[in-house]
Amino acid sequence: MAVIIINPNSTRSMTNAMLAQARRSAPELAFEGWTSYDGPTAIQGEADGEAARTPLLELVKRASSQGADGIIIGCFDDTALEEAAAIADCPVVGIGQASYHYAALRNWRFSVVTTLSISKPIIQSNIERHGFGHVVSKVRASEIPVLELETNTRLAIKMVAQEALVAEQEDGISAIILGCAGMVEVVDAVRRELSAEVIDPVECAAQCMLWVRQLN
């Protein structure tokens, strides 16, 4: 079949952006993008994550039953990741999870630049649960709402790059992880502004699936 990128929110354009980025990052693999139309329009904080959980898991079950080669949870909060992995018959990775592992494998101390401050506790908790609390410096918020990453890209680039530059100057890091799936829209522009490595979690998850296939 294909690797299925499941977007837990209902914004189809974000699914399309992730799908395009995954195909650029791992052209050897076939990808499909599925949108959870019963989820919230964006996932910003714990309440949105809870609202997204049930419809997301239904899509995970469907993808697994149809023979998916792998599943990518297309939200940086790694929404329902453990539950998804438990019910699927194929590898399941979260884009946040993949980016943390990639930074650690490169021996890079990192900071995360996400969207709104409401997402910071979830991201920090995920980092610690995955065992990377010792290599993260800070989780920072650019204070750009998720949907404005697409609708106001110029402002999004400015705000994300500004916070990333502060992280580069103050946090004692080698890399910055962009902490939102929607940041695929701004990653290239932010990379041009920084000397530190800029990690796109969608790229990491796509390449992770390629590594998994090569190992099997």
Side-chain angles (χ1 to χ4, degrees):
M1 192 186 175
V3 174
I4 309 300
I5 303 170
I6 302 179
N7 178 7
N9 74 48
S10 62
T11 303
R12 177 65 192 178
S13 57
M14 195 177 299
T15 309
N16 291 340
M18 286 191 285
L19 180 59
Q21 186 77 319
R23 287 171 171 169
R24 287 190 293 266
S25 302
E28 303 91 337
L29 296 180
F31 291 95
E32 293 180 15
W34 291 11
T35 304
S36 181
Y37 292 111
D38 292 326
T41 56
I43 297 177
Q44 299 176 131
E46 186 175 352
D48 287 336
E50 285 302 313
R53 183 178 301 272
T54 297
L56 166 63
L57 291 173
E58 289 301 316
L59 290 178
V60 170
K61 292 175 185 175
R62 187 189 308 172
S64 178
S65 68
Q66 292 180 9
D69 294 326
I71 296 170
I72 293 172
I73 305 298
C75 174
F76 193 77
D77 290 359
D78 291 340
T79 308
L81 175 60
E82 288 80 6
E83 293 151 282
I87 63 176
D89 293 324
C90 60
V92 179
V93 301
I95 63 172
Q97 175 194 41
S99 65
Y100 309 142
H101 281 270
Y102 177 73
L105 285 169
R106 297 298 305 271
N107 293 307
W108 288 340
R109 185 169 179 81
F110 65 86
S111 285
V112 174
V113 175
T114 189
T115 49
L116 302 180
S117 293
I118 195 171
S119 296
K120 289 168 60 177
I122 296 168
I123 293 169
Q124 185 69 47
S125 175
N126 288 347
I127 291 169
E128 292 172 2
R129 188 170 69 256
H130 287 302
F132 299 123
H134 63 296
V135 290
V136 64
S137 179
K138 289 185 178 181
V139 178
R140 294 175 169 270
S142 62
E143 303 301 354
I144 188 81
V146 170
L147 296 180
E148 289 197 35
L149 292 165
E150 294 184 333
T151 61
N152 197 347
T153 304
R154 183 175 296 181
L155 177 62
I157 290 168
K158 178 181 178 181
M159 294 180 70
V160 174
Q162 180 177 296
E163 192 63 32
L165 281 167
V166 174
E168 182 179 61
Q169 294 163 5
E170 297 183 358
D171 292 356
I173 55 174
S174 301
I176 291 165
I177 298 174
L178 298 184
C180 178
M183 287 185 182
V184 294
E185 301 286 359
V186 305
V187 61
D188 290 338
V190 174
R191 281 175 172 157
R192 289 193 290 269
E193 296 291 329
L194 273 68
S195 57
E197 298 289 339
V198 176
I199 298 173
D200 172 17
V202 177
E203 287 181 354
C204 288
Q207 292 168 358
C208 177
M209 283 296 177
L210 179 60
W211 302 334
V212 168
R213 190 185 74 170
Q214 291 171 340
L215 289 170
N216 288 337

